[in-house]
Amino acid sequence: MFAASLALQPALAWRIAPAASQAPFSCTVLADAASGQAPAREGHCDERVTPASTFNIVVALMGYDSGILRDQHAPVLPFKAGYPAYIPSWRAATDPAGWLQNSVLWYAQQVTRQLGAARFQQYVQRFGYGNQDLAGEPGQDNGLTQSWVGSSLRISPLEQVAFLRKVARRELPLSAHAYAMTESIMPRQTLANGWEVHGKTGTASALLPDGSEDGTRQYGWYVGWASKGQRTVVFARLVLDARQEVAMGGARAREALLRELPARLDAL
């Protein structure tokens, strides 16, 4: 349902500042989690953009490490009037598994509110995540709940892969529980060749030079890792292309990469 028509829910296209390149582009990065060797690095991979809903991976790690989140189904938080409610699945009580599956913005915002600005900033700095800028929108004092939603926080595909390597290798200063629970609630699927993929989408709409929303172009993220036996490969796909009414950019990026992943992974 979350990948439903963006045209019906335009507010789901998180706004970001004008990118350095407004021409359509794509990037695909795959890297061996153990060695860091990158058998695939294709396209425009060093431009920072909003992480959008891919940042939910970070919020989950912080939430479980701090004890705000407990397991796959606790805490269940109630939906309240005034919360973002762009699609029906967001207008209901939600647990951690449902949050990641449906990218429920208000659930992530409740976690970061409980963390508080100081701990939130400390985690992001320890993670070395993107530009580490949690200021939010200028003059709005909303970094605690909006910095990753088309605002000040930005990350490139190469930086996403570097961060995910740390997650896969458990190199971040986090509890074992935080790693295990975050992995357990990540959307997953098993490919025909036996690789298990954990991945998170994100969708963002760029702004035109005058600050208005670009109604023609859309960013789509798909990031995560694929594992088989003792091998883990981390990946990031970012696409800036024409907005489509049938599916969000993140869903399109996911489906395109999943079609390619079996052959790419078999070739490693």
Side-chain angles (χ1 to χ4, degrees):
M1 186 176 293
F2 183 67
S5 171
L6 180 66
L8 294 178
Q9 301 295 346
L12 284 173
W14 314 128
R15 295 160 59 88
I16 68 171
S21 171
Q22 284 294 311
F25 69 83
S26 67
C27 164
T28 301
V29 184
L30 278 73
D32 184 89
S35 69
Q37 181 179 0
R41 176 181 169 179
E42 304 162 359
H44 189 85
C45 296
D46 57 0
E47 184 169 320
R48 284 172 165 170
V49 303
T50 176
S53 293
T54 68
F55 191 66
N56 285 339
I57 299 172
V58 181
V59 178
L61 289 167
M62 295 186 294
Y64 282 116
D65 186 65
S66 64
I68 295 169
L69 304 178
R70 296 193 292 277
D71 57 34
Q72 292 175 322
H73 303 295
V76 176
L77 299 182
F79 173 74
K80 296 181 180 180
Y83 283 177
Y86 308 127
I87 58 176
S89 63
W90 291 15
R91 302 168 194 157
T94 301
D95 64 11
W99 159 46
L100 259 288
Q101 186 65 41
N102 296 311
S103 293
V104 182
L105 174 58
W106 63 259
Y107 196 98
Q109 291 174 328
Q110 297 313 301
V111 175
T112 57
R113 281 194 175 103
Q114 290 187 57
L115 278 171
R119 277 203 297 174
F120 187 32
Q121 185 73 64
Q122 288 168 2
Y123 273 118
V124 170
Q125 288 177 337
R126 287 179 204 155
F127 294 173
Y129 189 86
N131 67 357
Q132 303 174 43
D133 186 348
L134 302 180
E137 299 170 285
Q140 298 299 310
D141 192 27
N142 61 4
L144 192 57
T145 58
Q146 294 291 126
S147 55
W148 70 94
V149 188
S151 182
S152 58
L153 185 63
R154 300 189 190 182
I155 192 167
S156 71
L158 291 175
E159 290 171 324
Q160 287 268 26
V161 164
F163 167 71
L164 291 166
R165 277 196 70 219
K166 295 176 187 176
V167 175
R169 292 165 61 86
R170 301 198 170 191
E171 294 176 340
L172 300 172
L174 298 168
S175 66
H177 180 71
Y179 285 113
M181 286 295 98
T182 298
E183 181 172 349
S184 75
I185 64 171
M186 283 277 288
R188 74 178 69 187
Q189 53 196 293
T190 301
L191 303 179
N193 59 355
W195 286 78
E196 185 174 65
V197 179
H198 293 76
K200 188 70 195 73
T201 58
T203 299
S205 182
L207 299 184
L208 296 170
D210 65 0
S212 61
E213 186 172 300
D214 186 342
T216 65
R217 294 189 179 98
Q218 185 177 81
Y219 288 91
W221 278 110
Y222 185 51
V223 307
W225 60 87
S227 299
K228 184 178 182 181
Q230 300 301 308
R231 190 84 184 274
T232 297
V233 174
V234 296
F235 61 83
R237 166 68 66 88
L238 174 64
V239 178
L240 172 62
D241 62 4
R243 182 190 299 264
Q244 297 181 20
E245 295 185 0
V246 294
M248 290 185 178
R252 299 198 306 273
R254 177 189 61 208
E255 296 310 312
L257 185 58
L258 286 176
R259 287 194 296 269
E260 302 170 13
L261 268 181
R264 286 180 178 270
L265 293 170
D266 281 343
L268 297 180

